[in-house]
Amino acid sequence: MVRVLTISADVRELAGGRDVFEVEAETVAGLISRLEAQFPGLGHLIEEKMALAIDGEIFQDAPGERLRPECEVVLIPRIAGG
Amino acid sequence: MSDPSGSNGGYRVIGSRPVRPDGVDKVTGRAQFGADFHLPGLLTGRIKRSPHAHARIVRIDTAAAERLAGVKAIVTAADFDLEAAGEIEAGESASAIRDVAANCLARAKALYQGHAVAAVAATSPEIAAEAIDLIAVTYEVLPHVIDVDEAMAPGAPVLHDDMFTRGVSPRPGTASNVAQRHVMSRGDAAGMLAAADIVVEGRYTTAAVHQGYIEPHACVASWGADGQSLIWSSSQGQFLVRAMTARILNIPLSDLKVIPAEIGGGFGGKTTVYLEPVALALSRKCGRPVKIVMSREEVFLASGPTSGSSIDIRLAARRDGTITAAEMTLRYQAGAFPGSPVHLGCMTAFACYDVEHLSLIGYDVVSNRPKVAAYRAPGAPMAAFAVESAIDDLARQLSMDPIDLRIRNAVRDGAKTVYGASVRSCALVETLEAIKSHPHYSAPLNPGQARGVAAGFWFNIGGESSAAVHIDEDGGATVVSSNPDIGGSRAAMAMMAAETLGLPIERVRCTVADTASIGFSGSTGGSRVTFATGMAVTEAAQKVVADLRRRAAQIWECDVADVAWRDGVATCLDPAKTVKPLSIAALAARSAKTGGPIAAEVALNAQGAAAGYGVHVCDVEVDPETGRTSIVRYTAAQDVGRAIHPAYVEGQLQGGAAQGVGWALNEEYVYSPEGLLQNAGFLDYRMPVASDLPMIDTVLVETKPNPRHPYGAKGVGEVSIVPPLGAVSNALSQIVGRRMTALPLSPVRVLAALGKI
Amino acid sequence: MSRTVVNAVVNGEAVTFLGGGGQSLLDALRDELRLTGTKEGCGTGDCGACSVIVDGRLVCACLMLAPEAEGRRIETIEGLAENGRLHPLQQQFLEQAALQCGFCTPGLLMAAKALLDHTPDPTESQVRYWLAGNICRCTGYDKVIRAVLDAAAQLRQAEKRS
């Protein structure tokens, strides 16, 4: 079980106010499709507009990244710079 | 000036200071910037801009302008071909392409003075100027609002009647100027504040400031009769220019080639488009190439500054100096369209400090000013100004040394940020200690002088980059980079390739390619080029080395495992073979017989970018008659991972510090009651000049190289603008005798604080 | 727009170009003579990116009208290196990394040359105040000042030897 957390209001809006999820997934791609199935639009939002901190390390556009069982994933807004 | 305790890892090239490979062009005037490009039949493009801060566009009458001899094309927003709404990554946040297009040419409303409403292309600058005057625009002037707190107040003029604040539950029923509310929190900040030993609070405001690049925006666009087009543009991202322009004009990406000109400064402000879709639309209409160059006035009126801000902060601490909780409300101006970096302000505000209980609320607010664009560590400097000022107040209340207080609370590896990432490869404590032990920190101050310190953070990013390495037939190498070179990155690319290949740096050249000549890349910005594009360059060079070893094995008829590669030479480890070593030149001479040209291209999405931390200390004094603040001494220390080319890393620290000094002391947008910009030029938008600054000492802390980069590099370009606002204000507040809370700390404000006026 | 024929000497060579109707010397250098090394940063004489030397005097080319160049000797960045040999100022800028984007660099180099032409041994303060008319947004000026001071020293050495 992967524990998914977020600080994002956009995620909460699509997930009926929730910002903590328990998801069964082995890769980032799997996680995204499970969340999309549960909350339509959420998977798409994550794919297009968010980065993930997997056990603290930031990944952006990394669908193949494997997820350890019991790892923690935080959904964070994409970061760009100037 | 590198930290002597950090080794350069025993590299041949990395850590040295060669002359940059593109340098001669820049010191001889040969380098071609955006406005330097010329094509046969080139027309001059000019833009008609709104004289009103807020107005409905009733009618645009171009008839008289069209009749003027020499006018070849006129366009308005109707000439854009935007399909369904979509998003494109741009600078600090994803900007709806609709907003970008409407910012390039206004649709129903002019939303700020200077907002583009139409454009012409003509055979000379004089005719273009005359045509602009002949375009008759009928406006219905509307009430306007400039200030962020006023824009949020009930009854403020509303810019977009379809703006219902996101992030608020339930969704508001009436439109307002608040595009979005962000909330980030953990623990129980309110409770901890209520029970705290010490509470420090304040309201801080900062003014909008412009990136201030000396080169105005410039481009040339040329539409081909078969629809294939060329754009030559000063920009931080040729692929971004292509993506945005193609989307706005509804053309396939492969039909648009964008050539990145040399760029005369960007700092984030050139990670979007203003001119390119307009120039291409004009060229499409008349079939001739069109050049548009902004005047300096246009740069100030119509290109993105960063947000001004209004910030409330409350800090809770124990008597021993541990910061236990903090509450912050940040209100950032987005300009005329949503997309301020307020969420990044929330994320970075406490990124230097391990504070358990946090509540951060950010508001993205529109008002009748130009749409903001990214500016070096977007969103972070304003938030840091408030945090570092409050921490300074705390140090004062506790009679604690300001560095010691920060060391006590500093994040270390493993700490969790409020947004979810864990701190890793962090040398903040070492950087704080580097300042503490620096001679500057203990140097005596003259009467009337004071010293301030502040820390700062920036994420740095990775992302998509492409690079190619080609071995020339005589054994030299060319690196092809996907990224415009904004600060000397070609030197770092060449150095990383030279190190990997084992060639002397003089034999490795680096070029920046256009969109048709190299794989896709994210923009130059986010402190990502040395990290991500450098990673692509290094991996391409590693592939070339693998290929060279294979060829040597073929020539020697031995196993490739028996081929050693060192300093650009292959040697055979098989004791049964008596062969001479083969240099790159020798292998290159035989390339046709060993498989063909020697080259590799790598396209990657770099993960594992490591954040940067900076600590600055500055000494200031004030002229009590004029209120002018002088920077007497300045030292900037930064956790840089590993400095590939130390001189250019030092340059990033010095340049960011100078911009931060300008932001703290003098830079701001001055508006009339009618919402018109009063200081749209360098005379009255006062940026630091050489006589305003002392030498800026730098300390490069290299104790924590980034393990995810082949040479340990971290991004360095942005962190340096984050600490100066707090450092300068913390010093000045001591001289004035009270906490200064409003930037810029202009002479007028200082004199008022001193009770002189 | 009426234009007049202008005869001048640019970087030691006699040139003839058309100028007039509000065109500045900067416009003429860039658009008529295709010497694009001199840059426009502001058009109002505030940033110094268009610095050139006219009859030995440092001038913002954007503040001079093209016909005013008649009969004058003009030095631009394209003439600073002689026969392909970099001037010590150019060499020092490169070696000390005194440029990042390079846009203000031609103006800075010409302004520095004008200073050293008549003040061969300036103090740091003199260099800073002389160059206060050349805005640089990238470097924070530290390495620029060092490069100018070192180039001055180099030129004084060469002068002693000659």
Side-chain angles (χ1 to χ4, degrees), chain C:
Chain C
M1 175 187 71
S2 76
R3 292 162 32 126
T4 50
V5 174
V6 182
N7 294 288
V9 174
V10 177
N11 297 328
E13 279 177 25
V15 298
T16 304
F17 59 89
L18 287 177
Q23 251 187 327
S24 66
L25 172 60
L26 178 63
D27 294 330
L29 287 170
R30 289 178 57 80
D31 300 333
E32 307 296 327
L33 296 175
R34 296 255 177 268
L35 294 171
T36 55
T38 309
K39 306 299 182 194
E40 174 163 334
C42 71
T44 51
D46 297 312
C47 75
C50 65
S51 299
V52 294
I53 299 174
V54 178
D55 286 344
R57 190 178 156 194
L58 183 64
V59 159
C60 280
C62 73
L63 291 180
M64 212 169 125
L65 293 172
E68 291 184 276
E70 175 67 35
R72 301 207 186 266
R73 230 179 59 248
I74 298 167
E75 297 167 67
T76 73
I77 185 66
E78 287 88 349
L80 189 56
E82 260 187 61
N83 297 324
R85 265 180 50 111
L86 294 177
H87 187 280
L89 278 167
Q90 290 168 310
Q91 194 60 45
Q92 284 298 329
F93 266 55
L94 288 176
E95 283 174 23
Q96 303 211 34
L99 62 142
Q100 288 178 32
C101 80
F103 192 76
C104 73
T105 304
L108 263 173
L109 284 167
M110 296 314 290
K113 177 178 188 288
L115 171 67
L116 299 185
D117 279 349
H118 61 70
T119 307
D121 194 1
T123 63
E124 177 188 331
S125 185
Q126 280 177 306
V127 176
R128 285 188 179 279
Y129 276 88
W130 182 267
L131 294 180
N134 292 81
I135 308 182
C136 172
R137 196 54 161 170
C138 293
T139 66
Y141 307 102
D142 181 297
K143 294 177 190 298
V144 169
I145 305 301
R146 291 178 201 276
V148 173
L149 290 169
D150 286 356
Q154 209 179 315
L155 284 163
R156 289 194 304 274
Q157 275 291 73
E159 188 61 35
K160 250 189 254 171
R161 274 183 265 123
S162 71

Side-chain angles (χ1 to χ4, degrees), chain A residues 7 56-57 60 72 76 80 82, chain B residues 91 183 416 419 422 607 708 718:
Chain A
I7 45 159
E57 189 174 340
Q60 200 158 286
E72 185 186 82
I76 62 185
Chain B
V183 177
K416 214 47 176 313
Y419 53 92
S422 289
Q607 310 293 339
R708 296 293 294 264
E718 290 171 286

Side-chain angles (χ1 to χ4, degrees), chain B residues 728-739:
Chain B
V728 171
S729 181
N730 288 341
L732 187 56
S733 297
Q734 289 173 61
I735 296 179
V736 168
R738 64 180 180 77
R739 171 57 54 193

Side-chain angles (χ1 to χ4, degrees), chain A residues 7-10 12-13 48-49 53 55-62 65 72 74-82, chain B residues 89 91 166-167 171 180 183-184 267-268 343 374 378 416 418-422 458-459 461 525-526 605 607-608 708 718:
Chain A
I7 45 159
S8 162
D10 289 337
R12 263 183 254 122
E13 215 173 292
E48 299 300 310
K49 292 177 74 171
D55 281 337
E57 189 174 340
I58 298 184
F59 291 86
Q60 200 158 286
D61 290 325
E65 200 65 29
E72 185 186 82
V74 183
L75 306 172
I76 62 185
R78 273 186 190 242
I79 301 151
Chain B
E89 196 94 46
R166 287 163 54 214
R171 199 76 174 266
Q180 190 161 1
V183 177
M184 297 179 202
F267 313 108
H343 61 297
K416 214 47 176 313
V418 72
Y419 53 92
S422 289
W458 185 250
F459 313 90
I461 61 172
N605 190 335
Q607 310 293 339
R708 296 293 294 264
E718 290 171 286

Side-chain angles (χ1 to χ4, degrees), chain A residues 78-82, chain B residues 90-93 209 211 236 266-269 271 305-307 330 332-333 339-349 372-384 457-461 525-527 663 717-722:
Chain A
R78 273 186 190 242
I79 301 151
Chain B
E92 80 285 0
S93 64
V209 294
Q211 296 81 349
Q236 289 176 245
F267 313 108
T271 59
T306 190
S307 308
L330 300 84
Y332 282 24
Q333 296 157 355
S340 80
V342 69
H343 61 297
L344 296 170
C346 293
M347 289 161 78
T348 57
V372 299
Y375 180 18
R376 211 166 194 161
M382 312 74 144
F457 163 91
W458 185 250
F459 313 90
N460 303 327
I461 61 172
S527 310
W663 195 332
E718 290 171 286
V719 177
S720 54
I721 202 176
V722 183

